[in-house]
Amino acid sequence: LMRVQSALIWNISPLTSSAQPPVMYTTSLWSLPLESGAPLRLLQAQERAVLRDLRSAIDKRIENKIASARRFAVRVRNHAKMVDCYLTTYYNHKSLFGNKKQISDQIIEHPQNYHIYEGLS
């Protein structure tokens, strides 16, 4: 049983995007008593681990939502800063009689010439 579980984890690990190997639980979900010769202590320990991890996941779901909202807020803030840098650069380089489309295209195509990303950091 343990060899099969180890081989399965070994083969599944490269398919996941996590650095940690996947967690696998070996449990019996029968309502009937286990047969003689079954690894009773292993199955009971794994069942307790499943229930403990489920309880932990339920407890952490609010924390996960808060962390997700924070990541999204950081992305929105960074996007707003980038838009502000582009607009500030555009307003600083446009002139009364200049071609506004040409200036905006140059800023978009060559932001390094206008030090856009330096303003973000």
Side-chain angles (χ1 to χ4, degrees):
L1 180 64
M2 297 307 287
R3 279 188 291 189
V4 170
Q5 186 176 12
S6 297
L8 189 57
I9 289 173
W10 180 264
N11 288 317
I12 289 177
S13 291
L15 302 176
T16 61
S17 60
S18 174
Q20 298 292 325
V23 177
M24 291 188 59
Y25 301 99
T26 306
T27 61
S28 173
L29 302 175
W30 293 29
S31 60
L32 302 174
L34 297 173
E35 294 180 6
S36 63
L40 183 63
R41 288 189 333 190
L42 172 69
L43 295 175
Q44 289 173 343
Q46 290 284 304
E47 184 176 346
R48 284 191 301 273
V50 166
L51 295 174
R52 183 187 65 237
D53 289 349
L54 280 173
R55 196 174 313 112
S56 174
I58 290 169
D59 292 342
K60 290 183 180 182
R61 71 177 169 205
I62 291 176
E63 295 172 15
N64 291 340
K65 285 187 179 191
I66 291 170
S68 177
R70 184 180 184 283
R71 284 190 303 270
F72 182 72
V74 167
R75 290 176 62 194
V76 168
R77 182 195 66 198
N78 290 342
H79 181 75
K81 283 183 176 181
M82 188 166 54
V83 168
D84 182 58
C85 283
Y86 273 100
L87 287 175
T88 302
T89 302
Y90 172 75
Y91 289 129
N92 288 340
H93 286 86
K94 78 173 188 166
S95 63
L96 188 60
F97 299 109
N99 187 349
K100 295 175 186 175
K101 174 78 171 135
Q102 183 181 8
I103 292 172
S104 65
D105 288 343
Q106 285 177 355
I107 293 171
I108 291 170
E109 291 175 12
H110 305 287
Q112 68 277 4
N113 295 345
Y114 296 93
H115 309 288
I116 295 284
Y117 300 117
E118 292 172 13
L120 290 175
S121 59

